[in-house]
Amino acid sequence: DIQMTQSPSAMSASVGDRVTITCRASQGISNYLAWFQQKPGKVPKRLIYASSSLQSGVPSRFSGSGSGTEFTLTISSLQPEDFATYYCLQHNSYPPTFGQGTKVEIK
Amino acid sequence: EVQLVQSGAEVKKPGESLKISCKGSGYSFTSYWIGWVRQMPGKGLEWMGIIYPGDSDTRYSPSFQGQVTISADKSISTAYLQWSSLKASDTAMYYCVMVRGDILTGYPDPWGQGTLVTVSS
């Protein structure tokens, strides 16, 4: 299975901060990488697909980049509603595998 | 609108059996893979396995092989996840997902609302 190493596992940030989360794949996955946001008690919500494509309805402050083995999710200006846990998911080969998650907390 | 509606929360004792369900609507149920994802309390997301309702082709992630059974009844557009003997460590939220695309490169979308399974004596 492809291992996804996500970092950091947790972070504290303030409203307005620029936030970057990284996922590294144990082998090349082209651009088969999605990012999800999960709030407590809620279903994961897809933010980014194909590494850098923004899901319809997702604010433009979210962006994704990368290809191969290194990927990043960036929130350009953190908003109160963005405090949540973020997961990357590779779907280049079966089984799909998630990163371990990054919890973004209020500083 | 594509929807996956899961069965309600369950509270079971260790050793009991359980079958939870996921009903698809708004699309051709037999044409898309359905997957199951586990989330243990306070933990991350884990892919359990996948089934193609059209022919019941089923694959399991290694960690879940032999631990659960995935099945589907295409006549009622419903997929299932079942345990023959629950353990306390099966306590988790379970999500079903529709897989867009093929088994190798498909991605999960949409997700069911989740079924909380609690196993406690």
PDB file of all heavy atoms in Angstrom, chain A residues 14-17 61 75 77-83:
ATOM      1  N   SER A  14      -3.698  31.673  13.910  1.00  0.00           N
ATOM      2  CA  SER A  14      -4.632  32.764  14.172  1.00  0.00           C
ATOM      3  C   SER A  14      -5.433  33.087  12.924  1.00  0.00           C
ATOM      4  O   SER A  14      -4.981  32.801  11.798  1.00  0.00           O
ATOM      5  CB  SER A  14      -3.867  34.010  14.625  1.00  0.00           C
ATOM      6  OG  SER A  14      -3.116  33.758  15.791  1.00  0.00           O
ATOM      7  N   VAL A  15      -6.584  33.696  13.128  1.00  0.00           N
ATOM      8  CA  VAL A  15      -7.382  34.157  11.996  1.00  0.00           C
ATOM      9  C   VAL A  15      -6.534  35.109  11.161  1.00  0.00           C
ATOM     10  O   VAL A  15      -5.852  35.983  11.692  1.00  0.00           O
ATOM     11  CB  VAL A  15      -8.659  34.846  12.484  1.00  0.00           C
ATOM     12  CG1 VAL A  15      -9.407  35.501  11.311  1.00  0.00           C
ATOM     13  CG2 VAL A  15      -9.569  33.843  13.190  1.00  0.00           C
ATOM     14  N   GLY A  16      -6.544  34.885   9.858  1.00  0.00           N
ATOM     15  CA  GLY A  16      -5.753  35.701   8.949  1.00  0.00           C
ATOM     16  C   GLY A  16      -4.407  35.096   8.575  1.00  0.00           C
ATOM     17  O   GLY A  16      -3.773  35.551   7.614  1.00  0.00           O
ATOM     18  N   ASP A  17      -3.972  34.082   9.322  1.00  0.00           N
ATOM     19  CA  ASP A  17      -2.698  33.444   9.029  1.00  0.00           C
ATOM     20  C   ASP A  17      -2.745  32.668   7.713  1.00  0.00           C
ATOM     21  O   ASP A  17      -3.803  32.190   7.296  1.00  0.00           O
ATOM     22  CB  ASP A  17      -2.299  32.466  10.141  1.00  0.00           C
ATOM     23  CG  ASP A  17      -1.750  33.154  11.375  1.00  0.00           C
ATOM     24  OD1 ASP A  17      -1.570  34.395  11.340  1.00  0.00           O
ATOM     25  OD2 ASP A  17      -1.497  32.448  12.376  1.00  0.00           O
ATOM     26  N   ARG A  61      -9.720  30.796  -0.984  1.00  0.00           N
ATOM     27  CA  ARG A  61      -8.547  30.865  -0.098  1.00  0.00           C
ATOM     28  C   ARG A  61      -7.877  29.489   0.056  1.00  0.00           C
ATOM     29  O   ARG A  61      -6.752  29.402   0.519  1.00  0.00           O
ATOM     30  CB  ARG A  61      -8.913  31.429   1.273  1.00  0.00           C
ATOM     31  CG  ARG A  61      -9.910  30.601   2.060  1.00  0.00           C
ATOM     32  CD  ARG A  61     -10.225  31.275   3.404  1.00  0.00           C
ATOM     33  NE  ARG A  61     -11.207  30.519   4.179  1.00  0.00           N
ATOM     34  CZ  ARG A  61     -12.512  30.691   4.067  1.00  0.00           C
ATOM     35  NH1 ARG A  61     -12.993  31.592   3.216  1.00  0.00           N
ATOM     36  NH2 ARG A  61     -13.347  29.958   4.803  1.00  0.00           N
ATOM     37  N   ILE A  75      -4.052  27.407   2.914  1.00  0.00           N
ATOM     38  CA  ILE A  75      -5.166  28.306   3.214  1.00  0.00           C
ATOM     39  C   ILE A  75      -4.550  29.697   3.299  1.00  0.00           C
ATOM     40  O   ILE A  75      -3.721  29.955   4.176  1.00  0.00           O
ATOM     41  CB  ILE A  75      -5.867  27.930   4.530  1.00  0.00           C
ATOM     42  CG1 ILE A  75      -6.222  26.439   4.552  1.00  0.00           C
ATOM     43  CG2 ILE A  75      -7.135  28.778   4.721  1.00  0.00           C
ATOM     44  CD1 ILE A  75      -6.739  25.929   5.890  1.00  0.00           C
ATOM     45  N   SER A  77      -5.662  32.765   3.964  1.00  0.00           N
ATOM     46  CA  SER A  77      -6.008  33.625   5.089  1.00  0.00           C
ATOM     47  C   SER A  77      -7.039  32.891   5.935  1.00  0.00           C
ATOM     48  O   SER A  77      -8.220  32.850   5.596  1.00  0.00           O
ATOM     49  CB  SER A  77      -6.569  34.963   4.587  1.00  0.00           C
ATOM     50  OG  SER A  77      -6.959  35.780   5.674  1.00  0.00           O
ATOM     51  N   LEU A  78      -6.572  32.302   7.011  1.00  0.00           N
ATOM     52  CA  LEU A  78      -7.404  31.412   7.820  1.00  0.00           C
ATOM     53  C   LEU A  78      -8.623  32.153   8.387  1.00  0.00           C
ATOM     54  O   LEU A  78      -8.501  33.255   8.931  1.00  0.00           O
ATOM     55  CB  LEU A  78      -6.554  30.842   8.949  1.00  0.00           C
ATOM     56  CG  LEU A  78      -7.064  29.605   9.668  1.00  0.00           C
ATOM     57  CD1 LEU A  78      -7.094  28.399   8.733  1.00  0.00           C
ATOM     58  CD2 LEU A  78      -6.196  29.311  10.892  1.00  0.00           C
ATOM     59  N   GLN A  79      -9.767  31.531   8.233  1.00  0.00           N
ATOM     60  CA  GLN A  79     -11.020  32.084   8.752  1.00  0.00           C
ATOM     61  C   GLN A  79     -11.530  31.242   9.915  1.00  0.00           C
ATOM     62  O   GLN A  79     -11.144  30.081  10.049  1.00  0.00           O
ATOM     63  CB  GLN A  79     -12.057  32.143   7.633  1.00  0.00           C
ATOM     64  CG  GLN A  79     -11.667  33.047   6.480  1.00  0.00           C
ATOM     65  CD  GLN A  79     -11.424  34.475   6.928  1.00  0.00           C
ATOM     66  OE1 GLN A  79     -12.324  35.126   7.472  1.00  0.00           O
ATOM     67  NE2 GLN A  79     -10.200  34.973   6.720  1.00  0.00           N
ATOM     68  N   PRO A  80     -12.390  31.814  10.758  1.00  0.00           N
ATOM     69  CA  PRO A  80     -12.863  31.062  11.932  1.00  0.00           C
ATOM     70  C   PRO A  80     -13.471  29.713  11.572  1.00  0.00           C
ATOM     71  O   PRO A  80     -13.310  28.737  12.318  1.00  0.00           O
ATOM     72  CB  PRO A  80     -13.910  31.999  12.546  1.00  0.00           C
ATOM     73  CG  PRO A  80     -13.494  33.363  12.110  1.00  0.00           C
ATOM     74  CD  PRO A  80     -12.892  33.193  10.738  1.00  0.00           C
ATOM     75  N   GLU A  81     -14.154  29.644  10.437  1.00  0.00           N
ATOM     76  CA  GLU A  81     -14.809  28.385  10.049  1.00  0.00           C
ATOM     77  C   GLU A  81     -13.828  27.338   9.508  1.00  0.00           C
ATOM     78  O   GLU A  81     -14.230  26.212   9.208  1.00  0.00           O
ATOM     79  CB  GLU A  81     -15.911  28.650   9.019  1.00  0.00           C
ATOM     80  CG  GLU A  81     -15.458  29.288   7.727  1.00  0.00           C
ATOM     81  CD  GLU A  81     -15.516  30.804   7.759  1.00  0.00           C
ATOM     82  OE1 GLU A  81     -15.348  31.405   8.843  1.00  0.00           O
ATOM     83  OE2 GLU A  81     -15.741  31.390   6.659  1.00  0.00           O
ATOM     84  N   ASP A  82     -12.561  27.708   9.384  1.00  0.00           N
ATOM     85  CA  ASP A  82     -11.569  26.778   8.837  1.00  0.00           C
ATOM     86  C   ASP A  82     -10.908  25.911   9.911  1.00  0.00           C
ATOM     87  O   ASP A  82     -10.117  25.012   9.580  1.00  0.00           O
ATOM     88  CB  ASP A  82     -10.478  27.541   8.080  1.00  0.00           C
ATOM     89  CG  ASP A  82     -11.022  28.352   6.926  1.00  0.00           C
ATOM     90  OD1 ASP A  82     -12.116  28.003   6.415  1.00  0.00           O
ATOM     91  OD2 ASP A  82     -10.368  29.329   6.532  1.00  0.00           O
ATOM     92  N   PHE A  83     -11.204  26.196  11.165  1.00  0.00           N
ATOM     93  CA  PHE A  83     -10.613  25.383  12.221  1.00  0.00           C
ATOM     94  C   PHE A  83     -11.269  24.009  12.187  1.00  0.00           C
ATOM     95  O   PHE A  83     -12.472  23.864  12.391  1.00  0.00           O
ATOM     96  CB  PHE A  83     -10.747  26.066  13.575  1.00  0.00           C
ATOM     97  CG  PHE A  83      -9.893  27.299  13.667  1.00  0.00           C
ATOM     98  CD1 PHE A  83     -10.432  28.551  13.399  1.00  0.00           C
ATOM     99  CD2 PHE A  83      -8.548  27.209  13.967  1.00  0.00           C
ATOM    100  CE1 PHE A  83      -9.636  29.686  13.449  1.00  0.00           C
ATOM    101  CE2 PHE A  83      -7.749  28.340  14.022  1.00  0.00           C
ATOM    102  CZ  PHE A  83      -8.290  29.581  13.750  1.00  0.00           C
TER     103      PHE A  83
END
